[in-house]
DNA sequence: ACTCAGGATTTGAACGATCAAACTTTTGAA
DNA sequence: TTCAAAAGTTTGATCGTTCAAATCCTGAGT
C-alpha cells in the first residue's frame, strides 16, 4: 500500500460502508455488536487511524491548543515553563488534544501570532503564561472572543472571583505560609523573607503568606517585621548581598523563606559566606538547581495547574470546547495549593564526609574530609 | 460574518474565481499584476488566511514536525532542551512549519506515539533528542521510512560520515579544546578535566578535546594526564567530592574544564571549600544557572543546531520535505562548532565589596564587606 | 399477510483548499 | 486580416472525513 489506509479501505475490508466505520469510531453504541467487531478487526489489520486534517476540516475544530514558548530563561527558575509544558502536553494527550508551540518577541507580536493561528483555524484555544498587570493580550483575546486560559491570575482591575477570563494559578500565599510555618515548627523564632519589589502581584502574594505565618505564630513586632522583609530583583548577586547585610545586622535570624529559588540560592551563598551555613532556607518553584543543591522549596504542582487549565477550557472529561458562558460562576478559575518539598541541604562550604562519591578509574580516590571551612 | 472567510468569499469580493485567489497566494507570478492587486486588497479586507486543515488535506502534508518533550529535568543543564525547543520553534515558524509536542515515558512508548502521529497524518517528520547507543527509535524510524533527524550523532555501529539517518550535533571536541586552550592562554599550565564515565560518546568526545589541547600546548606526562582526568556521574555532590580530592592531592592544578555546568558548579564549590576560589573553571552547556553564577561555559549555539536540523529535513529554503536520497553525501549531517562564553565568576565565598546591591526600602541597607572567608 | 415503528446501514453533500484540464483573452508574426 | 502560441482565468474533480437524509431490514401488533 502506497498511501495511508483511508476509512474507505477499512469499509471495503469489513464489507460495510464508510459511515458505519465512522460510527464504530465515534458512536459505537449505535452499531450492531456483530458488525462492530468485524470493523474493529479490519481497523486493526490495516492499522487505520483517521486522517487528522480531514477530520478537523469536517468538524470545524482543530483539537489543538497553542502556547507561547517565550525566550525567558529567567535564571534558575526558568525550567518552570518547561515543566508546565510537559505536564500540559501529557494531560492534553490524554484528551486527544495536541499542543502547538509558537514564539513571539513581545506582546504585540504574540497577538499577531495568535491572530494568524486563529485565522488559519489551526488552533482552538490558547494558554497564556506570564501574564502581567494590564496585559494587552488578555484584553485583545476577550474582545475577539478567542477561547483562552491564563496561568496566573488577573492581578489587575477586575474582580478575582468574577474575572473576564478563565485562569489557573498557584496559591503563593498558602505556599509561603506553609514554608514559614514549617520553619517555625522546626524551632525557628525569627524568620525573614526575601522577595521582589512590590510591583509583581505574585511577589506580594507570597510576601503576605510569610507575614501571615509570622503574625500568627510568632510575636514579631511591626518594626521587626519590616526589618526582616527584603525586596530585591530576582538575581543571585542581589539576593546574596542583601542577605549578607541582613544577617550581619541581625544575629538572631534563624530562618529565611524566599519568593524564588534564585533568591534562595543567593541567600544560601550569603549565609555560607558569613558562617551561617546551617541557616534553614526555603525557596519557591522547586527548580532543578534547587534539587541539585538540596534546597527545600515550595513546589508548584504543575500537573494540577495543567489539569486545571484544560478542565476550564474543555470541561471535566471531553475534548470539546466549553462555551464560555456555560462555564458557570465559581468554576471559572482554579487556585492550586502548592506543597512544600523538604530536602537535606548540600552544605556549600563544608563538604562533610563525602558520601560515597562515584569517582571511577582515573579519579584520584575518595577520602574523608571533615574540615570545617568556617 | 459568522464563520471564517473562505477562499470563495475572497474570490467573490475580488470578482475572480477560487483558483485565481489560490494562485495569488501560491504562485503570484502567473497572475496578471492588475488582478493580483485586486485580490490582495480583498484578502486584506476580509483578513483572510487559508484554512490550514483544508490545505493540508489537499496537499497531503501537514507541515508539522513533532518533538518529544521528555521529562528529564536533568539537573542544571535541563533547560537545554527548552532552549533548543525555542530555537527550533523560531526557525520553523520562519518556514511556515509548526512544532507539535508529545510525551512518552520510554522509547517503546515514544515509538508508539510516533506511529500514531504518523498514521493520523498529523506530522511529516520528527526530531529526536537524547539519542543513545543502539537506540531502538532510530532503527524503527529508518525501517518504517519515517523522515527524521536526530540531535546527537549516531555513536554506534554505522559510519559517522555515512549514517543511516540525518543528524545534527555539537562538536564537543572542538568546544572543550577551545576551553582548555583559553585557560592555557590565560596562563594555566596544569589543566584538569571533569567528565563522565566513558559510556557516553558525548562525554568521551569532550574528554578528547581537553586531551588534545593539553597534549598540544602543555608538556603533561601521560601519568599526569591520567591523574588530571576525573570521571563522575553528572551530579553536583559527586563532582564536588572528586574535585576536592583532586585539588588536595595536587596543589599545582591551576585550571579545570568540565563536561557540563553541573560538574563545573560542583567543581566551583569544591574549589571554594578548599580555599581555591580563584581557580579558573569552565563548564559546558552555558546553562541559566551558570549564567546566574558567572560561570564561563561552552555554549551549544542551539540556533544553529535548530537551523541545521530543519535544513537537513526540509532543504535550504523551502518548507518541503527533502526526499531522503536527494540529500546527498556530505550534506546528510551537520557538526556545529560551539563557542566559548567567558564570564566574570561570582565568588562563592568572598563577596567582596557588594557591587551596588539593589535592595530597597525594607532592606537593612548595603555596606562593604571585605571579609575573606577562607 | 400487512402495516408500521424502530434500529441498522447506506448514500449524497459538504468542509475549504489545490490540481489538472478546459476555456478565454492577449500577443506577435505571417 | 488571420491564426497559432502564450498568457490568464475558470471549471470540475479530489483529498478523507462527518453530517443529514434516505434506504433497508427486522419484528411486533392488528
Amino acid at each position: 500500500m502506497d498511501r495511508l489506509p483511508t476509512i474507505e479501505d477499512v469499509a471495503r475490508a469489513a464489507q460495510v460502508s464508510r459511515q458505519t466505520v465512522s460510527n464504530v469510531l465515534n458512536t459505537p453504541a449505535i452499531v450492531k455488536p456483530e458488525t462492530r467487531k468485524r470493523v474493529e478487526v479490519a481497523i486493526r489489520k490495516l492499522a487505520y487511524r483517521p486522517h487528522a486534517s480531514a477530520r478537523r476540516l469536517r468538524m470545524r475544530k482543530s483539537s489543538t491548543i497553542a502556547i507561547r514558548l517565550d525566550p525567558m530563561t529567567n535564571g534558575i527558575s526558568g525550567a518552570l515553563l518547561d515543566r508546565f509544558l510537559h505536564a500540559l502536553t501529557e494531560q492534553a494527550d490524554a484528551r486527544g488534544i495536541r499542543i502547538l508551540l509558537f514564539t513571539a518577541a513581545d506582546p504585540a507580536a504574540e497577538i499577531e501570532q495568535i491572530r494568524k493561528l486563529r485565522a488559519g483555524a489551526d488552533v482552538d484555544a490558547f494558554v497564556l503564561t506570564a501574564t502581567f498587570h494590564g496585559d494587552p493580550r488578555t484584553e485583545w483575546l476577550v474582545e475577539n472572543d478567542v477561547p483562552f486560559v491564563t496561568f496566573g491570575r488577573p492581578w489587575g482591575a477586575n474582580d478575582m472571583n468574577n474575572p473576564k477570563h478563565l485562569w489557573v494559578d498557584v496559591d503563593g500565599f498558602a505556599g509561603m505560609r506553609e514554608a514559614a510555618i514549617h520553619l517555625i515548627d522546626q524551632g525557628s523564632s525569627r524568620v525573614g523573607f526575601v522577595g521582589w519589589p512590590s510591583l509583581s502581584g505574585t511577589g506580594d502574594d507570597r510576601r503576605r503568606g510569610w507575614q501571615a505565618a509570622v503574625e500568627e505564630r510568632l510575636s514579631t513586632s511591626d518594626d521587626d517585621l519590616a526589618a526582616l522583609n527584603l525586596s530585591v530583583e530576582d538575581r543571585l548577586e542581589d539576593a546574596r548581598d542583601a542577605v549578607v547585610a541582613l544577617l550581619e545586622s541581625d544575629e538572631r535570624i534563624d530562618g529565611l523563606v524566599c519568593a524564588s529559588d534564585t533568591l534562595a540560592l543567593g541567600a544560601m551563598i550569603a549565609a555560607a559566606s558569613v558562617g551561617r551555613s546551617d541557616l534553614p532556607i526555603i525557596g519557591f518553584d522547586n527548580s532543578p538547581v534547587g534539587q541539585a543543591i538540596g534546597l527545600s522549596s515550595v513546589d508548584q504542582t504543575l500537573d494540577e495547574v495543567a489539569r486545571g487549565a484544560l478542565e476550564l477550557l474543555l470541561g471535566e472529561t471531553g475534548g470539546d470546547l466549553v462555551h464560555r458562558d456555560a462555564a458557570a460562576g465559581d468554576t471559572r478559575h482554579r487556585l492550586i495549593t502548592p506543597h512544600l518539598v523538604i530536602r537535606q541541604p548540600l552544605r556549600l562550604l563544608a563538604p562533610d564526609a563525602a558520601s560515597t562519591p562515584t569517582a571511577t578509574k582515573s579519579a584520584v580516590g575518595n577520602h574523608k574530609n571533615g574540615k570545617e571551612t568556617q
Side-chain angles (χ1 to χ4, degrees), chain A:
Chain A
M1 176 94 61
D2 192 18
R3 52 171 184 48
L4 292 171
T6 75
I7 202 171
E8 203 97 36
D9 297 321
V10 176
R12 206 170 4 254
Q15 313 253 43
V16 295
S17 69
R18 288 192 315 263
Q19 186 58 36
T20 300
V21 179
S22 176
N23 286 336
V24 169
L25 258 49
N26 301 306
T27 45
I30 71 164
V31 177
K32 192 158 73 173
E34 194 177 290
T35 321
R36 179 168 55 210
K37 205 146 290 171
R38 211 167 64 235
V39 171
E40 279 163 349
V41 167
I43 289 179
R44 254 194 303 280
K45 197 170 81 187
L46 299 181
Y48 165 79
R49 296 210 94 215
H51 191 289
S53 291
R55 172 175 264 175
R56 288 202 276 263
L57 172 59
R58 187 64 243 247
M59 307 261 270
R60 314 174 121 272
K61 68 171 189 182
S62 66
S63 299
T64 302
I65 291 178
I67 183 170
R68 169 183 176 210
L69 187 61
D70 58 358
M72 91 163 173
T73 56
N74 65 352
I76 283 167
S77 310
L80 196 75
L81 177 63
D82 199 25
R83 287 164 55 213
F84 176 58
L85 214 53
H86 188 264
L88 192 66
T89 305
E90 255 182 358
Q91 303 279 346
D93 190 63
R95 288 164 173 264
I97 298 271
R98 273 171 308 289
I99 299 292
L100 193 72
L101 294 180
F102 66 100
T103 59
D106 54 79
E110 183 169 2
I111 289 176
E112 181 54 22
Q113 282 276 30
I114 291 175
R115 219 183 50 67
K116 280 188 188 168
L117 288 171
R118 272 289 285 184
D122 249 321
V123 166
D124 289 334
F126 294 84
V127 175
L128 256 66
T129 59
T131 54
F132 49 89
H133 185 81
D135 200 321
R137 298 173 299 166
T138 58
E139 304 231 355
W140 188 90
L141 289 165
V142 168
E143 256 172 46
N144 290 71
D145 254 342
V146 180
F148 73 104
V149 59
T150 66
F151 177 9
R153 72 197 88 171
W155 294 104
N158 58 45
D159 182 11
M160 188 174 113
N161 287 308
N162 186 25
K164 298 210 193 78
H165 62 81
L166 308 173
W167 59 266
V168 191
D169 204 0
V170 168
D171 191 344
F173 178 92
M176 211 81 265
R177 182 171 162 279
E178 186 188 351
I181 285 184
H182 173 82
L183 290 185
I184 295 168
D185 283 347
Q186 298 290 309
S188 295
S189 60
R190 201 168 171 80
V191 178
F193 174 79
V194 188
W196 306 307
S198 71
L199 286 169
S200 79
T202 311
D204 289 343
D205 191 43
R206 296 182 187 175
R207 169 172 288 116
R208 279 192 296 273
W210 157 75
Q211 191 172 334
V214 170
E215 288 177 342
E216 196 174 310
R217 298 291 196 93
L218 301 173
S219 49
T220 313
S221 76
D222 280 5
D223 282 357
D224 281 2
L225 214 59
L228 290 171
N229 179 1
L230 299 187
S231 289
V232 298
E233 293 299 326
D234 197 43
R235 278 192 300 259
L236 212 56
E237 309 93 290
D238 293 359
R240 178 199 58 181
D241 296 338
V243 170
V244 163
L246 177 66
L247 292 177
E248 292 192 333
S249 77
D250 186 344
E251 303 267 320
R252 291 170 303 158
I253 290 175
D254 54 4
L256 281 179
V257 293
C258 309
S260 78
D261 275 8
T262 305
L263 297 177
L265 194 53
M268 280 180 80
I269 293 174
S273 79
V274 299
R276 295 285 314 271
S277 48
D278 60 313
L279 184 72
I281 295 173
I282 296 181
F284 206 112
D285 283 349
N286 194 23
S287 63
V289 199
Q291 288 171 32
I293 214 162
L295 175 66
S296 296
S297 191
V298 179
D299 185 80
Q300 301 219 24
T301 52
L302 296 169
D303 286 304
E304 280 185 51
V305 176
R307 188 202 328 280
L310 292 180
E311 276 176 12
L312 288 171
L313 275 178
L314 311 168
E316 293 289 330
T317 54
D320 289 321
L321 228 66
V322 169
H323 191 272
R324 178 164 303 170
D325 304 328
D330 52 358
T331 65
R332 295 178 52 119
H333 64 88
R334 296 281 158 91
L335 196 56
I336 310 292
T337 306
H339 71 271
L340 190 56
V341 178
I342 297 298
R343 293 205 180 79
Q344 195 56 36
L346 185 68
R347 291 286 183 80
L348 279 187
L349 298 189
D352 54 355
S355 50
T356 336
T358 37
T360 62
K361 55 169 187 179
S362 44
V364 180
N366 27 337
H367 63 193
K368 297 282 181 182
N369 174 1
K371 189 170 81 174
E372 285 288 326
T373 313
Q374 193 261 82

